[in-house]
Amino acid sequence: MHLLIMRHGKAPFSSNDYDRILSPAGCRGVRKIARCVRKKVAKLDRILCSPLRRTVQTAEIINKLSYPTVPLELCDDLAPGASCEVIAEKLNTIQEDGLMLVSHQPFVGKMTHYLTGELLSIREATVACIKLKNFGLYSGELRWVVES
């Protein structure tokens, strides 16, 4: 199976972190990533995203442009402060071949490291593809990374 793990697009700072929205440049970056990812990954079964507005916007753009028939689900466990162990446990119960997570830093970088042992700098609108058999510690192989 493969996992796409993505950091939301650029969003200007706001005192209310929950309600931050993508900037116009952030939307453009996510659209660029959506087109690129679709060329690399033809089939995706489910998109899970943090409930914060900027991640929902990011996931909706990916969903609309690249995977319009794929269900998009909000996942409170992907909000800031997400735990790799909690997410791994949750993902191990899902029987899908292709998943996408849309979340925040530092979780995206930590989860990529948790699954692959790779340390990456994850900027906004960056997606990493990990091939794996389960969601255990160092159980995956980093296949590629695309930045906007």
Side-chain angles (χ1 to χ4, degrees):
M1 78 179 88
H2 63 273
L3 173 70
L4 300 177
I5 184 163
M6 182 174 185
R7 183 177 178 192
H8 62 79
K10 289 185 183 196
F13 179 77
S14 170
S15 59
N16 184 352
D17 192 49
Y18 192 89
D19 288 331
R20 288 174 52 202
I21 61 172
L22 296 181
S23 67
C27 290
R28 284 191 301 275
V30 173
R31 285 193 298 270
K32 177 182 171 188
I33 289 294
R35 290 186 293 272
C36 185
V37 168
R38 180 63 185 183
K39 290 177 186 174
K40 292 180 166 290
V41 177
K43 184 179 183 297
L44 199 62
D45 298 305
R46 190 183 313 190
I47 300 171
L48 301 173
C49 76
S50 158
L52 277 66
R53 287 183 67 191
R54 61 192 179 274
T55 49
V56 172
Q57 285 179 294
T58 298
E60 286 174 341
I61 292 169
I62 298 289
N63 194 227
K64 180 180 178 183
L65 295 180
S66 299
Y67 304 101
T69 62
V70 172
L72 181 131
E73 300 172 25
L74 300 184
C75 178
D76 290 339
D77 292 329
L78 289 172
S83 160
C84 295
E85 292 80 9
V86 168
I87 293 299
E89 187 176 313
K90 180 181 211 85
L91 294 177
N92 274 320
T93 67
I94 297 174
Q95 300 299 314
E96 307 281 9
D97 286 332
L99 294 170
M100 177 178 236
L101 305 180
V102 182
S103 191
H104 310 268
Q105 272 297 76
F107 171 75
V108 173
K110 287 180 179 180
M111 191 68 182
T112 302
H113 180 262
Y114 178 89
L115 293 172
T116 68
E118 301 277 346
L119 292 171
L120 302 176
S121 173
I122 306 287
R123 298 186 313 197
E124 291 99 340
T126 295
V127 62
C129 179
I130 302 168
K131 183 170 175 58
L132 32 71
K133 292 183 181 172
N134 64 61
F135 294 94
L137 183 64
Y138 306 141
S139 62
E141 175 188 342
L142 183 65
R143 288 297 176 98
W144 49 260
V145 176
V146 176
E147 298 178 336
S148 66

